Amino acid sequence: MKILAFIRTAERTAVVVVFLTMVLLFCLNVLARQIGGTFASQFAWVEEAVRLMSLFLTFLAVGLALDRGRHAGIHTWRDGIAEATGLPLRRIIDAVGLLFCLYLIWLSYQMTAFVFGTGQRSPTLNIPVFWIYLAPTIGFALMGLRFALSFLGLIDRFSGQTREVE
């Protein structure tokens, strides 16, 4: 569990750093455009950098959201069906989620490897484009880890979800 705590801390730190960097770059870009001239043209790379960071921000945050039970769902409906049928619905959801994440990891890895092989580079940042395709691979791996841990009973990702009766 120390490893999971380390992963959580690393994810939170990365998400905060990426988000604050995006805000700072946007502010600098706005200032550069207000100043104008050749100074503004030197910040043409900012929009592409922020788009790339936005992808990583999204895919880094999905594991944290799943860990805290923050993914979209109809909890009362799910729990009601589980009570009525006696099915271990939460475990079934975790198993299906894990299988789906494993498929998406494989798929996104294949895309990353293909794009890496092409040697394509981004126009303004001049970095390899495969970095864009690496974000889903990392994100689905982190989300799949949470589904696996929840399926095995090592974490309770449903504890933050309460059933409200009307």
Side-chain angles (χ1 to χ4, degrees), residues 7 11 59-64 66 105 137-147:
I7 291 172
E11 283 174 312
F59 283 106
L60 285 174
V62 295
L64 287 171
L66 183 66
I105 292 166
T137 308
I138 294 168
F140 290 123
L142 292 169
M143 194 164 54
L145 172 67
R146 283 0 189 279
F147 276 122

Side-chain angles (χ1 to χ4, degrees), residues 3-18:
I3 294 172
L4 183 59
F6 174 77
I7 291 172
R8 284 180 182 140
T9 303
E11 283 174 312
R12 283 188 212 125
T13 303
V15 166
V16 169
V17 167
V18 168

Side-chain angles (χ1 to χ4, degrees), residues 16-160:
V16 169
V17 167
V18 168
F19 181 71
L20 292 176
T21 304
M22 288 171 59
V23 170
L24 177 68
L25 285 174
F26 264 132
C27 289
L28 289 174
N29 198 25
V30 169
L31 284 173
R33 289 178 186 214
Q34 288 299 316
I35 294 170
T38 58
F39 183 71
S41 65
Q42 294 178 3
F43 285 89
W45 58 272
V46 169
E47 290 182 33
E48 186 177 338
V50 169
R51 267 194 310 269
L52 180 62
M53 284 188 281
S54 165
L55 285 169
F56 274 92
L57 181 72
T58 300
F59 283 106
L60 285 174
V62 295
L64 287 171
L66 183 66
D67 196 22
R68 294 182 176 205
R70 301 284 192 229
H71 279 210
I74 304 171
H75 312 304
T76 54
W77 186 73
R78 176 199 63 215
D79 293 341
I81 289 175
E83 285 176 18
T85 62
L87 288 172
L89 205 50
R90 290 179 176 186
R91 290 188 72 111
I92 292 170
I93 290 169
D94 286 338
V96 171
L98 175 60
L99 291 174
F100 188 63
C101 283
L102 289 173
Y103 173 68
L104 290 174
I105 292 166
W106 177 79
L107 200 60
S108 57
Y109 174 76
Q110 294 294 319
M111 282 295 277
T112 303
F114 173 76
V115 173
F116 179 78
T118 66
Q120 186 179 2
R121 300 187 76 79
S122 70
T124 57
L125 290 176
N126 197 30
I127 62 170
V129 172
F130 82 89
W131 284 101
I132 294 170
Y133 293 91
L134 193 59
T137 308
I138 294 168
F140 290 123
L142 292 169
M143 194 164 54
L145 172 67
R146 283 0 189 279
F147 276 122
L149 292 173
S150 180
F151 179 78
L152 296 172
L154 298 173
I155 63 170
D156 184 10
R157 66 182 193 87
F158 298 103
S159 64

